[in-house]
Each structure stands twice: as C-alpha cells, then as structure tokens.
Amino acid sequence: MPMPETAAGGTVLSEPVRARNPHVAIFRQAVVAADQTVRAWSLRAAMAANDGRWCAEEDVEPTTEAEYHALDLALLGGDVPVMLRATGGLVSGATPTPPSPNGLWLELSGALARHPDASARVAALRARGAQVVVGDYVGAPEQDALVRAAWAVKVDARIPEGRLREAVLHVHGLGGTVIVESVTTPAARRRAFAAGADLVQGPLLQREADGPLRSAKAGEVQCLEVIRLLSEPEIDLEAVARMVAADPELSIRVLHVVNSSAFALHHTVDSLRHAVILLGPQRMAALAMASLIDARPAAVGQLWSVLTRALTCQTLARQDAGYTVGLLSAVASQQRIDIGSLLATSGVSPELARALEQHRGPLGRVLAAVLAHEESDTAGVAAAGFDPFDVARAHLDAVPEALSIATALSMDPMS
C-alpha cells in the first residue's frame, strides 16, 4: 500500500479505506440521539451485478464479509461503535466478526431473524462481544422473540405515523431500544422522536432546513470571508492573515493548532501570517469553518461530517472549488443559515453560487450527487450524472482524512 500522505507541519493523514471490490459500494450514516450526538456509525455494503442491478444480500455474502474485514472500522467509527448489516456467516460464527475497538453492533435482517437457531445465535454473538440489532422490524413473532436477547430494533421511518408509534410502544414494552432508520429530513426526525424513538439513523447533515433560517452573524461573516479569500484562484495570504487577525477567537485557534502536537514543530509560531502559510489553504478554510460552527471535542462528529462532504466534493469535481462548495453547503445546513445570506456574505463566484443554490453546473451536479449518496439514494446519484460506486468510493476515501483534520481542529484552544 502507498505510504500515508504527510501534510504541512508533519501531520500524518490516514490512508483511504476504500472498498476492495469495484462493484461494492459502502453506505455510511450516523445513528444519533435527540441532542444530535452521534452514538454509532452504520455501514452497509451493496453490490451490483454486471447488468448494473443491485444483488440480493444473500447472494453476495462472501463478498460482503471480505469487504467488512478489509475496512478499518476504527477509522470509520471514530470513538463510537460501528453497526454492520450482518451476514449469515457472521451470525453463525463461521466468519469471525471484524475488529471494532469501540464496539460492534450487528444488524439482523428479517431473513436471519427467521432462522430456527436465531435465539442461540444472538446469544453467541453477545458472548463474542457484539451488540445485536433486529433489523427490518415489523413486529413478527420471531423478531419479538429476539428483542429481549438483542439490544435494539430498527423501524423504518416511512411507515404510517400510527404504526410507528405502536411499534415503538410495543418494543419498549419488551424492554428494547428503538432506532428509526431512513430519517432523511428534519420533519422525519421530529416525527420519529415524537413517536418515542430512542435513536434515529440518517445523514447527519440534512439538505432540508429544520425550522426558520437565519442570516449570517457578524463573527460568522469574518469566517466566511476567510473561506471566500481561500477559494480565489490567486490567494492573497496577506488578506487572509488580516481577516484572521480581525477575529480574536479565530486567531487563537490558528496559532493553537499550528503550535499543537499535531504539527510537531520545533519552535513556537507567533506570526499569524506564518501560521496561515503552514496550515495551507484547505486546512485554513476548514479551521475557519470549525470556528464558525464552534467546534469542540464533543462536536467532532458534526465537524467530521462537514469535512467528509467537502473532501468528497473536491475529489469528484477534480478541483479545489469542489471543496468550497461542499464546505459551504455543509455549513449552511449545520448552522441553519439561509443560503442566499451565506452567498451574499461569502461573495463566492457566480459558478459556486449556482451550484450551492440551484445545484446547477458541474459543481452543482457534484453536490447533488454527494447529497444523494449521504441519503443512500442511488437513483439520485445517477440522476446527477454520477456512478453510485464512484461516489461511494470517494466518500469512503474522504472519511479518514476528514477525521484526522476534525480531531486536530476541534481541540479547545482555551483548555
């Protein structure tokens, strides 16, 4: 494998964690609580046949198991558990469970729950250290029989509201935890928690607004101006340094990161201009964004998702402007800033404005494809003009680098 890339200042970036098989796509979504803290990351492998159609899970289990063992679950899960869609081999013990240092949740399909030895297999999985989630839950007797031995069940958010409430009450009565999946909008999230869900699964950054949007505030304007300056074809480092200096907290963050152990410098950097040069345009833009969303160690999951989107867009666009598009779209979503206000404040080019506001042009199509992938919407990815497998690989490759950056940038400079 290639040696890990080394960033300015000596920071070692993680290697990509792409799927080994070019016909396999890995979908990754957050499992979050009502306060939006990430409790786990769900991973699901899907494979296409030569004719492009998606294969049935049971037909590609050996390939799926090989992919799971090829992935670095420590990188993909960060400091929370990873949830995998289980295979027959993983459930029976014929295939060892892949190592996941912060915990492993195995999701049983409806077919696996119907196996005559399902209860014994769930007990064996728990003995091996895995938490079991009953997937595709519809209240079938064989599923209910597993609830007490399993840790949680997964219910689809798209079922009628009355049935959702009934399912949640029923599972809670059996002592189980409820994860509502396919939660892709704020309305669906509110509906799930109103029904009593314990956790929901879906994209952490949702494309629809949750409640009324707002305009950018004074301190945010400076951070957005830094991002705009760094998106210019010819970057004026003096102007960037002056804008950074105008924001005391951003100045402290810049100096703190450059002088932290992540950069391993042999001397202290006191000059903002020198610090900006050492960070480089991409990390400086990420740090401005981290300051804008007030990223702290407890919010690494949010920052991680923002940077993953930005890096994925950059890879697919094959230009740095893709990074800016992904970054600004994620900031608008995470901070609930009106996109028109953000565009007016950031002063980006007309091309970037069309991409962000209307999903038009090459950059707009890239953004549309990445948003669709985050929602596990392969038809939406294809409608944007991209191969779902290319987008899935770009997204997976972005995860470890985004975590490396997020961890470094979310250090509290006041601690």
Side-chain angles (χ1 to χ4, degrees):
M1 296 184 71
M3 293 295 291
E5 177 186 355
T6 302
T11 303
V12 177
L13 303 181
S14 302
E15 295 180 46
V17 286
R18 67 184 64 192
R20 298 190 309 174
N21 190 312
H23 297 290
V24 172
I26 303 291
F27 297 92
R28 177 176 178 268
Q29 291 187 329
V31 179
V32 302
D35 63 359
Q36 286 296 283
T37 57
V38 178
R39 300 297 178 85
W41 289 99
S42 172
L43 302 177
R44 185 167 183 169
M47 185 173 177
N50 292 331
D51 60 4
R53 290 184 296 178
W54 297 98
C55 301
E57 288 179 307
E58 58 272 19
D59 294 338
V60 293
E61 285 194 343
T63 301
T64 299
E65 292 166 356
E67 291 300 327
Y68 285 162
H69 280 276
L71 298 175
D72 188 333
L73 300 187
L75 283 176
L76 292 171
D79 60 357
V80 298
V82 169
M83 176 162 55
L84 300 178
R85 180 79 165 181
T87 64
L90 290 173
V91 174
S92 69
T95 301
T97 52
S100 180
N102 290 299
L104 181 67
W105 301 355
L106 284 180
E107 176 190 348
L108 270 64
S109 67
L112 290 175
R114 290 192 294 272
H115 193 280
D117 295 332
S119 295
R121 290 181 172 186
V122 168
L125 283 172
R126 293 183 62 183
R128 301 205 305 266
Q131 296 277 19
V132 178
V133 177
V134 179
D136 308 328
Y137 183 80
V138 292
E142 64 271 13
Q143 292 178 315
D144 282 350
L146 298 177
V147 170
R148 288 188 175 88
W151 175 72
V153 307
K154 287 177 73 171
V155 180
D156 197 307
R158 294 167 291 189
I159 66 174
E161 187 169 357
R163 286 180 54 200
L164 180 60
R165 287 182 179 275
E166 289 174 4
V168 171
L169 284 172
H170 182 65
V171 173
H172 284 171
L174 296 173
T177 296
V178 178
I179 303 170
V180 176
E181 63 178 336
S182 302
V183 176
T184 59
T185 66
R189 183 175 63 234
R190 289 192 297 271
R191 177 172 169 264
F193 284 122
D198 301 290
L199 302 167
V200 300
Q201 177 184 321
L204 193 58
L205 302 171
Q206 296 174 336
R207 69 171 79 196
E208 292 185 20
D210 188 4
L213 297 175
R214 62 178 180 83
S215 298
K217 302 173 185 176
E220 295 170 335
V221 170
Q222 291 167 321
C223 293
L224 290 168
E225 177 64 10
V226 169
I227 295 172
R228 184 194 69 78
L229 289 169
L230 292 167
S231 70
E232 295 289 328
E234 297 292 332
I235 299 174
D236 185 344
L237 289 175
E238 299 292 344
V240 173
R242 286 195 300 272
M243 189 56 60
V244 170
D247 184 332
E249 183 172 342
L250 182 55
S251 300
I252 292 171
R253 279 181 176 271
V254 168
L255 292 172
H256 178 75
V257 170
V258 168
N259 288 308
S260 70
S261 58
F263 268 67
L265 299 178
H266 298 297
H267 61 281
T268 301
V269 175
D270 297 321
S271 163
L272 275 176
R273 183 181 184 280
H274 189 194
V276 168
I277 292 171
L278 286 172
L279 279 170
Q282 187 166 295
R283 287 207 166 201
M284 185 61 245
L287 187 51
M289 183 272 302
S291 185
L292 189 154
I293 69 173
D294 194 28
R296 292 290 189 268
V300 168
Q302 294 279 343
L303 184 53
W304 191 3
S305 294
V306 169
L307 292 171
T308 298
R309 180 183 293 182
L311 290 165
T312 306
C313 287
Q314 181 184 39
T315 297
L316 295 171
R318 300 182 180 178
Q319 56 175 305
D320 291 340
Y323 184 88
T324 304
V325 165
L327 197 67
L328 291 176
S329 73
V331 167
S333 173
Q334 201 273 342
Q335 290 291 292
R336 291 164 51 194
I337 299 175
D338 176 70
I339 196 68
S341 169
L342 184 143
L343 292 175
T345 302
S346 60
V348 296
S349 69
E351 180 188 8
L352 264 67
R354 284 193 299 273
L356 286 161
E357 198 164 28
Q358 304 168 18
H359 294 176
R360 291 178 56 191
L363 291 174
R365 290 192 292 275
V366 165
L367 179 58
V370 174
L371 293 176
H373 172 77
E374 291 177 359
E375 297 167 353
S376 299
D377 177 10
T378 55
V381 174
F386 285 84
D387 185 329
F389 296 96
D390 290 341
V391 179
R393 281 190 290 273
H395 187 269
L396 199 66
D397 285 353
V399 168
E401 183 175 354
L403 177 59
S404 174
I405 299 172
T407 302
L409 298 191
S410 63
M411 294 184 295
D412 192 341
M414 304 304 179
S415 62

